[in-house]
Amino acid sequence: MIKCKLLIRKFSILLMFALSFFYVLTFFLSPFTDWDSTFYPLIGKGIFRYHILPYDYIFDHKPYLVYVFYYIWTQVEPILNGRFAILAMVSMVSVAFMFSSAYRTDKWQTLFYLSIGGIIGDYLGGNTEVLQIPLELSVILMLCKGVQEHKIPLFFLAGIVSAIAVNINYLAGCVLSPIILYLFLGRVCTVVEFLTCVAGGMIGLTGIFLPFLIAGHGKLAAYFDMQHHFLQHYGGASDERMYTFALVALYIVPLCPMLVLWFGRRDVCWGNLRERLLSLWFVFSVVAAILSGHGFYHYFSLFLIPGMLICLLVHRDAGGALSWRMMPLYLYAAFLMVSGIVSNINDMKRAQLTDPARVSQIVGHQKVLNINSDHSLYYLSDMETFDPILFCGQIEIYFGPQAADHYLDDLRQRPPFVLMPHAGCINHTVAPQVCSWVKDHYHPVYEAYKGKDPNRNNARYYNLYKIN
C-alpha cells in the first residue's frame, strides 16, 4: 500500500513536471500570447526613436514608464519568440530570490509556489504585472527593514520605487498607498520616516515627469487629459464590475483552505511585521483587482502571487503536513496548463498566416491607418501608424458613436495604407460607410486568413489596402 502511494506520488510529480515543461515551451512558439505586451514597445519606440512624448505618437491609457521599460527590453533581449515570457520568468525568479531571502524559505520551493500562481494568473503572458509585482515586494521589504533598523534612507528609496511602480500600473497605488498609511497610522513608523517616504515619492514623481515639464506647452496636462477622457468611457459598467467581483472571488476559493489557517493566527495581525505586510499586500491586491473593473486574468496575478507566498509560509510552518489543502490549486493549474498548451499551439498556427516580413516589404516606412484591426502587426512589421489611437477597439471607446466619423476624417487625409480586420465589412466589425470609402479609394494588396473558413473574423486575420 505504501509502495503504491509512493509510485502514484512519483508519477504525479513526473506528469506535472512534463506538463509544465511543455506549457512553458509553447510560449516560445510565437512572438507573444498577450496582445497588450506588443503594444507597449510601440509607444516606447516613439519616445526613444523619434523623441516624441506620450501620447503624440501613439495613445494608450497606461502610465508611460511601462512603455519605457518594455521598449528597452525589446532592444536588449534578442529572441523574438517568447520575448515577454522570458521577461516574466526573470520577474518570477527575482520575486523568488527576494522573498526567500527575506522570509527564509527554500528558493526552489518558493519558485514552485510562484509558478502555480503564475499559471493561474497568466503570468507568462508578460503583461505589466511582471514589473509591478517585484517592485511592490521590494517596497514592502524596504519598509520592513527601514522600520526594524530605523534606516531613514530606506524609506526615501521605498518612496521612489513606489512612484516608479505606480507609473507602470496605477493599480500599484491601490496596493502600496494603504500599506504606507498603515505604517504611519498604526504607529509602526515615526512621523519622520513617513514623511521621508512621501518625500521620496514626490521626488520620484518629479523625476519621472521631468521630460514633460521641460517640454512645456501643456504636455503634462494633455497626457492626463487624454487618459482621463478615455478611462471615463473605458471604466467597467455595473454588470461588468459585478462579474469582475465574482471572478476574483472564484479565484480566491482554491486559496481558502490555506488562507483560513493563515488569517486565523493572531500573530498575522499583531506579530511579525513582514507577515503583517504580506497579509496587507494580499488584501489590497484583491481590492485592486476588483477596482480594475475588468475581469482580465492577468490582473488576478496581483493577488495570486502574494496569496501563493502565504500558502508557502503556512505549508512550511506546518512541516509539509498540509499538502492536501493545495490539491485544488494543483488540479486547477494542471487544467490551465493543458488549455494553455492548446491555445498557444492554435495561436502559433494563426500567427504563421500573418507574414509580418511580407507586410513590412509592401509598406516600407509609409504610414498605415488601422481600422479596428490587429495592432500587433505594427510591432512585428515595425510599421508606422497614421492615427495616434492605434489599439484595436480604442477609437470606438474614445469617440463612441462618432467613431465612424473619426475614421472617415482620417480617410479623407488619404493615408497610404489601410489595415482592416479580415471580413470586417461582412461581419459588421467595420461601419458600412467606412467600408464603402475604402472600397472606392483603395485596393487590396495583402490579406491573412484561414482558407478553410474565409469569412471567419479572428484578431490575427486582416486585409491590407493601398490607396489608388
Side-chain angles (χ1 to χ4, degrees):
M1 185 67 178
I2 296 174
K3 287 184 178 180
C4 183
K5 285 183 178 180
L6 286 172
L7 189 64
I8 292 172
R9 185 180 179 185
K10 287 180 180 179
F11 177 76
S12 300
I13 292 171
L14 183 64
L15 183 64
M16 198 72 171
F17 177 80
L19 193 59
S20 302
F21 175 78
F22 284 111
Y23 173 72
V24 172
L25 192 65
T26 58
F27 282 87
F28 292 85
L29 296 177
S30 57
F32 66 93
T33 57
D34 190 313
W35 259 257
D36 287 3
S37 59
T38 65
F39 195 63
Y40 307 142
L42 291 174
I43 304 177
K45 181 176 75 172
I47 297 170
F48 285 96
R49 189 183 296 181
Y50 304 124
H51 310 294
I52 301 174
L53 288 170
Y55 294 104
D56 291 339
Y57 180 63
I58 294 175
F59 169 77
D60 194 24
H61 62 282
K62 290 187 173 67
Y64 91 97
L65 276 192
V66 68
Y67 316 127
V68 171
F69 279 106
Y70 272 77
Y71 180 79
I72 292 172
W73 178 254
T74 60
Q75 299 307 299
V76 301
E77 198 284 313
I79 303 170
L80 177 62
N81 283 11
R83 172 175 287 164
F84 303 109
I86 294 173
L87 176 62
M89 286 188 278
V90 170
S91 166
M92 191 172 289
V93 169
S94 68
V95 171
F97 180 80
M98 286 190 291
F99 187 86
S100 60
S101 298
Y103 288 81
R104 298 180 180 179
T105 58
D106 179 76
K107 289 181 175 62
W108 289 107
Q109 194 173 29
T110 305
L111 191 59
F112 171 76
Y113 273 75
L114 288 172
S115 299
I116 297 297
I119 291 165
I120 299 171
D122 193 26
Y123 206 74
L124 287 182
N127 216 309
T128 57
E129 288 76 19
V130 304
L131 298 178
Q132 179 183 348
I133 288 172
L135 290 172
E136 288 178 351
L137 178 58
S138 65
V139 169
I140 288 169
L141 296 182
M142 281 188 280
L143 291 172
C144 281
K145 194 169 183 180
V147 168
Q148 292 167 346
E149 300 179 12
H150 301 288
K151 290 186 175 179
I152 296 292
L154 284 175
F155 284 92
F156 185 77
L157 188 58
I160 292 175
V161 177
S162 296
I164 294 170
V166 170
N167 280 281
I168 285 174
N169 193 321
Y170 289 133
L171 292 177
C174 301
V175 178
L176 295 176
S177 297
I179 290 176
I180 295 168
L181 280 172
Y182 162 77
L183 293 178
F184 174 61
L185 297 176
R187 297 183 179 180
V188 179
C189 70
T190 65
V191 175
V192 174
E193 290 169 339
F194 172 74
L195 291 177
T196 302
C197 186
V198 173
M202 296 304 294
I203 290 172
L205 289 173
T206 303
I208 289 166
F209 291 114
L210 191 60
F212 291 87
L213 299 173
I214 292 171
H217 305 292
K219 291 286 185 183
L220 188 58
Y223 168 81
F224 284 113
D225 283 345
M226 288 188 73
Q227 289 186 51
H228 180 258
H229 177 82
F230 180 84
L231 290 171
Q232 279 184 314
H233 299 85
Y234 182 65
S238 57
D239 56 341
E240 188 174 2
R241 290 188 178 278
M242 289 301 297
Y243 172 74
T244 302
F245 180 84
L247 208 55
V248 168
L250 185 65
Y251 269 66
I252 292 174
V253 167
L255 295 170
C256 284
M258 300 297 258
L259 292 178
V260 167
L261 294 178
W262 176 263
F263 286 103
R265 292 162 43 186
R266 186 176 182 276
D267 59 341
V268 167
C269 297
W270 306 105
N272 186 293
L273 179 61
R274 281 194 172 89
E275 293 188 356
R276 272 186 278 164
L277 294 192
L278 177 59
S279 302
L280 291 175
W281 184 21
F282 171 76
V283 170
F284 290 122
S285 294
V286 171
V287 174
I290 294 170
L291 288 177
S292 72
H294 299 281
F296 301 138
Y297 296 127
H298 61 88
Y299 284 150
F300 302 155
S301 61
L302 291 176
F303 63 83
L304 284 168
I305 295 301
M308 289 305 301
L309 294 174
I310 287 173
C311 292
L312 168 64
L313 294 183
V314 173
H315 188 263
R316 181 201 64 185
D317 295 344
L322 300 171
S323 297
W324 63 271
R325 289 177 178 262
M326 295 294 294
M327 284 307 296
L329 283 166
Y330 296 154
L331 292 173
Y332 189 42
F335 167 76
L336 288 178
M337 280 193 285
V338 172
S339 63
I341 289 169
V342 173
S343 176
N344 290 345
I345 290 173
N346 288 334
D347 197 49
M348 174 201 68
K349 293 176 181 177
R350 289 189 288 267
Q352 288 174 342
L353 298 171
T354 60
D355 198 358
R358 175 63 180 148
V359 172
S360 184
Q361 279 184 335
I362 295 170
V363 171
H365 298 291
Q366 298 182 81
K367 292 186 176 182
V368 182
L369 173 65
N370 184 24
I371 300 180
N372 204 20
S373 189
D374 179 14
H375 63 264
S376 69
L377 194 61
Y378 287 75
Y379 164 74
L380 297 171
S381 301
D382 196 26
M383 295 194 304
E384 299 295 334
T385 181
F386 185 82
D387 192 307
I389 303 179
L390 170 64
F391 197 102
C392 179
Q394 279 195 353
I395 282 181
E396 286 71 15
I397 296 170
Y398 199 93
F399 292 98
Q402 285 77 45
D405 293 332
H406 180 82
Y407 283 129
L408 289 172
D409 287 341
D410 280 342
L411 288 167
R412 290 187 189 103
Q413 298 175 51
R414 298 175 61 81
F417 290 89
V418 171
L419 186 71
M420 292 172 59
H422 178 70
C425 294
I426 297 172
N427 297 322
H428 307 294
T429 53
V430 179
Q433 60 269 42
V434 176
C435 291
S436 178
W437 183 282
V438 172
K439 184 179 179 181
D440 292 341
H441 297 85
Y442 289 81
H443 62 276
V445 289
Y446 195 77
E447 57 186 359
Y449 65 95
K450 191 174 181 179
K452 291 181 180 179
D453 195 0
N455 291 331
R456 183 181 178 184
N457 183 25
N458 182 278
R460 288 277 201 174
Y461 304 156
Y462 62 85
N463 287 4
L464 180 66
Y465 298 88
K466 185 176 182 180
I467 195 165
N468 293 333

